[in-house]
Amino acid sequence: MDYLQSTVERISRWSVYFCGALLLGCVGLITFEVVGRKLFNHSLLAVEELSGYALAISVAWGISYTLLQKGHIRIDALYVHLPAPLRRILDVAALLALALVFGTLVWHASGVLHESLRLGAKASTPLATPLWIPQSLWLAGLGFFCLCVFMLLARAAQLILRGDFAGLEREIGAHNTEQEVEFELAAERERNQASNISGDR
């Protein structure tokens, strides 16, 4: 389980770099498009299409890292005042709800991809992009997110069976104020170390 978790976390970290590069590429294309229209009266025609694909793919892959880092927004005004056992039940219920919603989404998305492959569907744009290409990348990201959710559920079950409820709260519970502060301090230390290394070079 620990090996699977570390592997999934490593893949999710690299997927964030991929998403960032994808979005930066979109920014470059959009900038080139705006400048080209303004100065040369020329348009690339495909920027909007490619940007749409990039956004969908980057969201699908980025949500896994956000989940593992507990970065998704939680409305915890009531949550923080509840007894610890009830908080743990809600944390597990939230993961089960994610598994249900995204499992359904992956099921239907795989049907869409299958249909695109069967029909040889292409985008009705100047690029005429074969739709299976962006759809398969999007589906892979959603599938990886489901894997992350099921891994966390398995980890939660393991901790519950051990009776390690403090570990359960630490693994899947929402950050409390002290944890948020510690997280920000750790991030600041990492940024300082990175700047010191670049300064030494």
Side-chain angles (χ1 to χ4, degrees):
M1 176 61 74
D2 291 339
Y3 175 76
L4 174 62
Q5 188 168 350
S6 64
T7 302
V8 166
E9 287 175 354
R10 189 162 55 250
I11 293 171
S12 73
R13 194 174 301 112
W14 280 105
S15 73
V16 169
Y17 297 142
F18 166 72
C19 293
L22 205 57
L23 293 176
L24 281 175
C26 280
V27 170
L29 276 176
I30 292 168
T31 302
F32 188 77
E33 168 80 357
V34 170
V35 172
R37 282 187 181 183
K38 185 70 175 177
L39 299 182
F40 309 110
N41 197 28
H42 175 74
S43 175
L44 295 176
L45 299 176
V47 172
E48 186 177 351
E49 178 187 359
L50 294 175
S51 298
Y53 298 149
L55 181 61
I57 293 165
S58 61
V59 167
W61 280 97
I63 53 178
S64 300
Y65 181 80
T66 309
L67 173 69
L68 296 175
Q69 298 299 314
K70 299 184 183 181
H72 288 132
I73 295 171
R74 295 195 188 194
I75 310 300
D76 59 359
L78 178 61
Y79 173 90
V80 293
H81 299 291
L82 296 174
L86 184 52
R87 288 201 307 267
R88 293 167 197 145
I89 292 170
L90 289 174
D91 290 332
V92 174
L95 279 179
L96 287 170
L98 272 179
L100 176 63
V101 170
F102 276 86
T104 304
L105 183 57
V106 165
W107 172 262
H108 288 289
S110 62
V112 171
L113 175 59
H114 179 266
E115 194 68 8
S116 294
L117 287 168
R118 186 179 70 83
L119 298 173
K122 296 182 179 180
S124 55
T125 61
L127 279 183
T129 306
L131 290 178
W132 70 267
I133 298 174
Q135 286 173 355
S136 60
L137 292 171
W138 176 63
L139 177 59
L142 295 177
F144 182 69
F145 180 76
C146 281
L147 174 64
C148 291
V149 173
F150 285 117
M151 183 201 70
L152 287 177
L153 280 170
R155 179 66 173 159
Q158 185 182 54
L159 292 169
I160 290 169
L161 290 173
R162 286 182 188 169
D164 185 4
F165 297 113
L168 177 68
E169 200 162 343
R170 187 174 59 252
E171 293 274 346
I172 67 170
H175 282 310
N176 57 35
T177 306
E178 291 78 11
Q179 288 172 326
E180 289 284 358
V181 170
E182 180 56 36
F183 180 79
E184 291 299 328
L185 289 174
E188 183 64 27
R189 284 194 294 269
E190 287 183 8
R191 285 193 292 270
N192 289 337
Q193 288 175 353
S195 63
N196 288 339
I197 290 171
S198 61
D200 292 341
R201 289 178 181 174

